[in-house]
Amino acid sequence: MIDVKDLNKSFEGHQVLKGINEHIEKGEKVVIVGPSGSGKSTFLRCLNLLEVPTSGEIWFEGKEITKAKTKEVNALRQKMGMVFQHFNLFPHLTIVDNITLAPVKLKKMTKSDAVANAMALLKRVGLEDKAKAYPNQLSGGQKQRIAIVRALAMNPDVMLFDEPTSALDPEMVGEVLELMSQLARDGMTMVVVTHEMGFAREVASRVMFMDDGKIVEQNRPEEFFSNPQNDRLKEFLSKVL
Ligand code: ADP
Ligand code: MG
């Protein structure tokens, strides 16, 4: 589904991604861990071209998106849902309008179809009573679940999560991870940057360790956590586990 070939990204001469080669299959749940500043967010943002790579290629569903024209890029990006640490809901729009905005504008769905779809999704996550509320009337956990629903409303083929629980109070982390686990069980292809090692252990099909702009080790979760090879990974795990 996603192929990354010799991906490099620099910001003003500072090289942040250093020649990443990766392949992500449909249905995989890839969890990326690593120290702050190692390039995890930049890597995720390059996958859907929120950041333009300095060099290298990204292929998505058989197309090289790094070569695609703007219009094609927009169409491909619609197939990649993205969830951020800080929710990024539109504060002046109700929950249902947050969810229906992109399907109506970008997918040319009728408003009534988009609302019906939004309500079905809200019901699935137990938040249908919040349809008419505004984001600031919701808890952090609810906001993040709405952000996930908003991404799902575009019917994406892959979901990218960048530390979706890092801004939440501890008691709200569980409800967001539970929704993500449910998505995983439903077969969604997922790439998740997180510090939640329990989630990585239980949900990931593959865990990657990113350090200094490179993916230096990756494995199935059992091996990754029980038998790390790289010294930096050993040190990292000794701090977070
Ligand atoms: P992580 O998500 O692993 O914490 P990031 O991908 O956010 O790491 O950042 C990696 C490095 O790239 C950091 O040194 C950060 O300061 C730098 N960086 C990220 N985004 C930008 C940007 N837009 N402009 C300049 N430097 C950036
Ligand atoms: Mg980050």
Side-chain angles (χ1 to χ4, degrees):
M1 179 173 271
I2 301 175
D3 249 318
V4 177
K5 299 181 186 171
D6 197 22
L7 172 65
N8 291 280
K9 175 68 182 175
S10 299
F11 293 107
E12 292 129 31
H14 170 211
Q15 195 174 3
V16 170
L17 299 181
K18 303 178 176 173
I20 295 181
N21 289 286
E22 264 319 317
H23 180 76
I24 296 169
E25 296 276 354
K26 186 168 158 48
E28 272 202 282
K29 292 94 186 56
V30 174
V31 169
I32 304 174
V33 305
S36 176
S38 57
K40 304 180 298 296
S41 295
T42 304
F43 177 56
L44 213 56
R45 293 166 63 82
C46 280
L47 291 184
N48 66 356
L49 298 188
L50 280 180
E51 297 287 356
V52 179
T54 306
S55 67
E57 298 175 6
I58 296 166
W59 293 69
F60 177 60
E61 297 183 337
K63 287 217 171 80
E64 188 188 347
I65 62 175
T66 30
K67 281 251 168 66
K69 303 207 167 40
T70 314
K71 212 172 153 188
E72 273 179 312
V73 169
N74 288 338
L76 290 165
R77 204 182 261 148
Q78 286 174 30
K79 298 185 178 181
M80 301 177 148
M82 178 110 183
V83 175
F84 304 90
Q85 187 175 346
H86 293 289
F87 328 128
N88 297 12
L89 296 175
F90 301 110
H92 59 292
L93 296 181
T94 62
I95 296 309
V96 72
D97 286 344
N98 262 281
I99 298 169
T100 56
L101 184 70
V104 169
K105 268 208 157 160
L106 303 175
K107 282 208 151 172
K108 311 292 178 206
M109 249 189 172
T110 65
K111 179 80 181 187
S112 65
D113 282 352
V115 168
N117 186 41
M119 292 311 295
L121 285 165
L122 284 172
K123 194 159 181 201
R124 193 165 127 198
V125 298
L127 290 172
E128 68 265 45
D129 58 327
K130 303 295 182 196
K132 292 274 150 59
Y134 285 86
N136 67 6
Q137 296 171 298
L138 270 54
S139 73
Q142 290 171 335
K143 276 188 252 195
Q144 194 58 301
R145 287 189 289 147
I146 294 296
I148 293 170
V149 162
R150 181 177 60 174
L152 291 175
M154 291 296 281
N155 199 20
D157 290 344
V158 55
M159 287 282 285
L160 311 174
F161 294 86
D162 192 1
E163 298 200 30
T165 60
S166 294
L168 297 177
D169 291 335
E171 73 271 23
M172 291 170 186
V173 169
E175 67 195 62
V176 172
L177 293 180
E178 178 48 41
L179 175 54
M180 292 168 63
S181 303
Q182 191 184 316
L183 266 182
R185 286 195 297 274
D186 291 345
M188 179 63 78
T189 308
M190 296 165 67
V191 184
V192 183
V193 174
T194 186
H195 297 295
E196 295 291 335
M197 298 300 149
F199 178 86
R201 217 185 265 273
E202 282 162 34
V203 177
S205 49
R206 188 149 59 110
V207 188
M208 292 178 180
F209 176 60
M210 201 157 170
D211 188 43
D212 193 24
K214 295 186 196 123
I215 294 164
V216 296
E217 186 161 337
Q218 55 176 305
N219 217 325
R220 298 192 322 167
E222 309 87 90
E223 280 78 10
F224 183 91
F225 289 109
S226 66
N227 191 20
Q229 302 297 310
N230 180 280
D231 284 340
R232 296 275 295 158
L233 174 56
K234 288 179 192 169
E235 186 194 341
F236 178 78
L237 290 177
S238 74
K239 286 183 195 148
V240 297
L241 288 180

